[in-house]
Amino acid sequence: MNLVIEEINRSKKVLQRYRFKDKNCIRIGRALDNDIILNEPHVSPYHAELKLNDVGQWVIQDLNSINGIRNHSRKAVENGSIIESGDTYLLGRSYISIWREDHPVEEAWPLHSVEDLFHRISAPWVLALLVIGFVYGEWLLANLSNYRELSPSRLTNQIIYQLLVAVGWATAWSLSGRVIRHESRFYSHLAVTFIAAILMQWAPFILKILSFNGGYGLWNREILYFINGALFSLLLWCNFYLSMPQRPVIRIIWSNALAWGVVLIYLLPPIFDARSFRAFPMYDSSILPPSVFWADTMSPEQFLQQTEQLYGKDENMPDEAENSTTSKDSDTL
């Protein structure tokens, strides 16, 4: 019976694969005349031996090693234990998995439709446009959201800090992909990070426009939390897809659990914060251009006329003609 033996790491990533055909005995150790050489100081020169018994079953035996043989649960393995296809053993600090050559393997995972998109957005010119768009958006939104004179140094420090956070996030995920899959895909991670940052950047501004014209400003904060949670979940899904080989369902569960867990942490304090007991009023200092308003503007006279039609004329309010006469008399005096 032919065997395939894999040397794996703690995360079950295959480091080396050996295939043996028509052999009855396979020796494993650190000595150079072994069939499988494990370069790990806790492995004895002649550590273990795999033998085919009389009934055609593979068994494992310890060759008087210092640290012995343990299974995947780190429990000691007895000499002569029968090997099942897929068993994992720990020799020193090295893991090996043993498989029969005819062991069935699962079907290949289909590539997601976003694979080509990740390849396109990782082009250097696309990354340059994304960075420029993010910096311009920060400058523009800072000017719209402040009625006071903008401090260039403060805005520059803020932009540099956010750029460093985005690059650090992409770097961390690319390093994890390098460790797990031997593939960093740094440019793809950086591109999806800046796309998510731009969407999160403009979401509050667009929401202000919609809430002002739609009249649901009281729910503005809750809706913004939901939007940021959805964008963060999508970003994590992309990071998991680029870094780790996972089943689609597992990837969705992990990305949503982490994203909405973070959102819940930030959402709980405002829920218990009673607005009626605030010592200061809540207001928004954003300066929005007239072009973002859907309703047509009206003059003060038109506003007063519309008010009279809706609520009726106030008897205590003087007529416009009287106001004009009074103003002329005062000018004459």
Side-chain angles (χ1 to χ4, degrees), residues 38 67 71 84 89 106 109 118-119 133 149 153 157 169 204 211 218 228 235 239 243 249 253 283 308 315:
L38 300 178
N67 295 306
N71 58 17
E84 299 292 340
Y89 296 98
E106 64 177 335
W109 298 348
F118 287 147
H119 178 72
E149 185 177 357
S153 60
N157 293 334
W169 177 271
S211 63
L218 292 177
N228 287 336
L235 173 62
N239 294 138
S243 298
V249 176
I253 292 174
Y283 64 92
E308 291 177 1
E315 299 296 337

Side-chain angles (χ1 to χ4, degrees), residues 7-217:
E7 182 184 357
I8 61 176
N9 58 14
R10 292 179 180 269
S11 59
K12 298 185 179 181
K13 178 68 178 178
V14 177
L15 305 177
Q16 191 74 26
R17 183 176 285 118
Y18 306 88
R19 182 172 180 268
F20 297 96
K21 186 176 181 180
D22 299 331
K23 285 186 69 86
N24 297 329
C25 181
I26 301 172
R27 288 191 306 173
I28 306 173
R30 196 159 36 87
L32 301 181
D33 59 345
N34 284 290
D35 297 301
I36 297 178
I37 303 171
L38 300 178
N39 186 22
E40 205 276 309
H42 298 89
V43 175
S44 299
Y46 301 99
H47 198 109
E49 187 177 63
L50 310 181
K51 297 184 68 174
L52 196 63
N53 62 16
D54 297 335
V55 295
Q57 294 176 318
W58 285 95
V59 296
I60 187 168
Q61 291 185 340
D62 186 10
L63 301 178
N64 296 322
S65 63
I66 294 177
N67 295 306
I69 303 172
R70 288 174 286 175
N71 58 17
H72 67 281
S73 301
R74 305 185 70 89
K75 295 181 180 179
V77 175
E78 297 181 358
N79 273 340
S81 298
I82 298 175
I83 300 172
E84 299 292 340
S85 182
D87 283 347
T88 299
Y89 296 98
L90 179 61
L91 282 64
R93 288 184 177 175
S94 295
Y95 290 87
I96 61 169
S97 289
I98 304 173
W99 307 86
R100 291 197 314 267
E101 189 181 41
D102 57 349
H103 190 94
V105 296
E106 64 177 335
E107 294 294 331
W109 298 348
L111 287 173
H112 200 277
S113 57
V114 298
E115 183 68 30
D116 293 335
L117 178 62
F118 287 147
H119 178 72
R120 293 191 184 98
I121 64 177
S122 61
W125 66 272
V126 176
L127 286 173
L129 288 178
L130 291 174
V131 173
I132 293 173
F134 177 77
V135 173
Y136 175 74
E138 281 295 313
W139 175 83
L140 182 61
L141 292 175
N143 281 279
L144 293 175
S145 302
N146 288 274
Y147 59 92
R148 298 177 179 177
E149 185 177 357
L150 192 64
S151 173
S153 60
R154 182 178 180 181
L155 179 60
T156 302
N157 293 334
Q158 180 180 351
I159 292 176
I160 292 175
Y161 172 76
Q162 293 179 350
L163 290 176
L164 291 176
V165 170
V167 173
W169 177 271
T171 302
W173 280 101
S174 63
L175 288 176
S176 65
R178 185 68 177 175
V179 171
I180 297 174
R181 300 178 59 178
H182 298 283
E183 186 181 19
S184 62
R185 304 189 72 170
F186 173 72
Y187 288 162
S188 297
H189 282 291
L190 193 61
V192 297
T193 302
F194 273 108
I195 290 174
I198 292 173
L199 293 176
M200 292 181 181
Q201 179 185 61
W202 284 96
F205 181 76
I206 296 174
L207 189 59
K208 287 177 183 178
I209 297 174
L210 296 176
S211 63
F212 180 84
N213 291 281
Y216 52 87

